[in-house]
Amino acid sequence: MADREKLNLTVNSDNATVDADAGATLLTVLRDELRILSPKRGCNQGVCGSCTVLIDGTPQRSCLTLAVTCEGKPVQTVDGFDADTKMALLRDQFQQNGAVQCGFCTSGMLISAWHLLQEDGALSREDINAGLSGNLCRCTGYQKIVDSVAAASKEASS
Ligand code: FES
Ligand code: FES
């Protein structure tokens, strides 16, 4: 049986002390210990982006990140943006444009898109394609997602 260790994490502005397997990934701790289920376990090997969360303000694949390395750094999942205007714009646009089908990619996609929207000015479709290239979607063909991010970016910069 793996050794256990006590971790002190800050997730969505809440402090949490977790008893987890030594070597546990952040994704495992979020989902299996803290029961925060928005980051999805897709490939579990760094390919699909469905597990993307912000760590210290930067999108990272939580399936490749050791939870212990997140001590002292804020972790934010898509659940932690309730008062955020840009995330609200993105959510509205995803909904209006039908950019969510099965939803498996959506939380990771929104995290990456939100990070893109921190750039000044409206994003081009090329910027958006490049910025979302690490997030795979098996349902939508990407068009509606890119449309949504472009519209949110335009609104945010107007
Ligand atoms: S589950 Fe982490 S990249 Fe696919
Ligand atoms: S909506 Fe199904 S994977 Fe993107």
Side-chain angles (χ1 to χ4, degrees), residues 43-63:
C43 64
N44 211 27
Q45 51 186 359
V47 176
C48 72
S50 66
C51 64
T52 304
V53 300
L54 289 181
I55 302 172
D56 219 2
T58 303
Q60 304 277 353
R61 281 146 158 56
S62 59
C63 72

Side-chain angles (χ1 to χ4, degrees), residues 98-106 109 136-142 145:
V100 180
Q101 290 187 26
C102 79
F104 201 83
C105 70
T106 307
M109 212 48 104
L136 305 185
C137 175
R138 60 192 168 189
C139 307
T140 64
Y142 300 100
I145 292 173

Side-chain angles (χ1 to χ4, degrees), residues 111-158:
I111 294 281
S112 296
W114 180 88
H115 189 252
L116 278 178
L117 257 59
Q118 305 316 300
E119 301 281 331
D120 287 337
L123 295 163
S124 68
R125 294 185 81 82
E126 290 72 30
D127 293 333
I128 297 167
N129 283 331
L132 297 183
S133 61
N135 292 81
L136 305 185
C137 175
R138 60 192 168 189
C139 307
T140 64
Y142 300 100
Q143 196 69 25
K144 293 172 177 177
I145 292 173
V146 176
D147 289 347
S148 303
V149 179
S153 166
K154 198 168 162 197
E155 233 180 304
S157 61
S158 63

Side-chain angles (χ1 to χ4, degrees), residues 85-115:
T85 317
K86 288 182 176 172
M87 186 58 88
L89 287 173
L90 284 166
R91 285 176 173 157
D92 283 353
Q93 288 295 338
F94 270 55
Q95 204 170 4
Q96 281 179 38
N97 292 311
V100 180
Q101 290 187 26
C102 79
F104 201 83
C105 70
T106 307
S107 64
M109 212 48 104
L110 285 170
I111 294 281
S112 296
W114 180 88
H115 189 252

